[in-house]
């Protein structure tokens, strides 16, 4: 059920989904940008969390950059045993998302594991649960787009956020961040050693749900044995390296009014996958776009996620994609039941 959100709430939600300020006093920054008193900002965000609209405010990390490996997994399950199988799968600590979808492969989940575990072995172990008929392991071949933004206000996405790497902050980050023994991912990226104790402490702090106090990063830093400056500077390095995709709020889709979503699987030939993937990623309603492997009985190579407020809007998005980007054979897999949705906790 959609919760009640006024215009000011909507503007705040758009901003903190885009880029939550990595600043010692982030609610002051939000207040200045939106011309709202910082105490009102903090009170509204607290209420939006209490109402179940905001799920969490924290870092979204790239698991591979932290040494973890992950894959999308699809199970074909006897319908009468689907809930029980989903419950058992969801108990796995490495499962972050688990949904039933309206397809022959009716249970879909994401599995993320630390380096010492083997993905294929863990999936095979889960696949022997009574009721599982067959399964597919679908690791990412290429990421074209990832990042959910649920437009709440009439103003759309807030551009030009606070998560920038200006020269002054970058210099400070170089001075306080442990660097031996690793290489960054991005162009000009700073060296980063994920085995460093302070790096792990910063990951643990930033993946925790943000305390709703005036100086929340100070509280997180103290809890994990870091200074506030060091934590914030390391967060900037994580962003610059691609280790952290973004620091932002994540909303509960239904409570925010987005009650219809679907994963669309497209049959795109290998020689066209790059062109089509890049093009579809530009569509504002597409939150995720991946290339994944195909199977003899599953020829779909490109996966997109779309979110909508109504069935009519969802149908319009799919029609628009077909008209402008993807006039290919496809399957629309609508989400029927959300069994699990939570962040993976790294270095626990």
């Amino acid at each position: 059920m959609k919760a009640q959100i006024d215009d000011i709430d909507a503007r705040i939600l758009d901003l903190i989904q885009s880029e939550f300020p990595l600043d010692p006093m982030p609610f002051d920054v939000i207040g200045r940008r939106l011309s709202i008193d910082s105490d009102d900002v903090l009170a509204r965000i607290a209420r939006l969390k209490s109402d179940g609209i905001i799920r969490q405010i924290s870092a979204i990390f790239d698991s591979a950059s932290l040494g973890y490996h992950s894959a999308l997994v699809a199970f074909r399950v006897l319908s009468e045993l689907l809930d029980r199988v989903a419950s058992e799968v969801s108990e796995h600590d490495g499962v972050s998302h688990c949904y039933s979808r309206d397809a022959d492969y009716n249970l879909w989940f994401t599995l993320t594991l630390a380096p010492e575990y083997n993905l294929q072995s863990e999936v095979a172990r889960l696949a022997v649960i009574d009721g599982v008929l067959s399964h597919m392991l679908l690791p990412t071949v290429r990421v074209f787009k990832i990042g959910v933004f649920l437009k709440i206000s009439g103003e759309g996405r807030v551009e030009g956020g606070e998560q920038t790497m200006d020269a002054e902050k970058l210099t400070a980050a170089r001075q306080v961040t442990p660097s031996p023994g690793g290489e960054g991912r991005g162009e000009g990226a700073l060296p980063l050693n994920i085995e460093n104790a302070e790096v792990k402490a910063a990951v643990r702090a930033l993946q925790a749900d943000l305390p709703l106090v005036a100086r929340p990063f100070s509280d997180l830093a103290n809890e994990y044995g870091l200074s506030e400056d060091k934590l914030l500077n390391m967060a900037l390095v994580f962003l610059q390296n691609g280790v952290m995709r973004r620091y932002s709020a994540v909303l509960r889709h239904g409570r925010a009014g987005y009650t219809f979503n679907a994963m669309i699987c497209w049959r795109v030939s290998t020689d066209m996958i790059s062109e089509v993937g890049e093009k579809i990623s530009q569509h504002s309603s597409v939150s995720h776009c991946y290339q994944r492997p195909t199977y003899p009985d599953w020829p779909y190579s490109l996966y997109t996620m779309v979110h909508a407020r109504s069935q009519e809007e969802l149908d319009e998005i799919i029609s628009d994609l077909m008209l402008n980007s993807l006039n290919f054979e496809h399957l629309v897999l609508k989400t029927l039941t959300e069994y699990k949705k939570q962040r993976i906790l790294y270095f626990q």
Side-chain angles (χ1 to χ4, degrees), residues 124-156:
R125 186 173 65 82
L126 291 171
V128 300
I129 297 172
D130 185 36
V132 179
L133 302 175
S134 60
H135 69 279
M136 296 185 296
L137 184 63
L138 298 162
T140 300
V141 175
R142 180 174 175 182
V143 177
F144 292 100
K145 183 179 184 181
I146 180 170
V148 177
F149 176 83
L150 304 178
K151 180 180 175 183
I152 305 299
S153 78
E155 300 172 7

Side-chain angles (χ1 to χ4, degrees), residues 165-175 190 236-237 240:
M165 290 296 294
D166 60 54
E168 182 179 351
K169 288 182 178 180
L170 185 55
T171 299
R174 288 183 187 275
Q175 293 171 349
L190 301 181
L236 292 173
V237 173
Q240 199 254 353

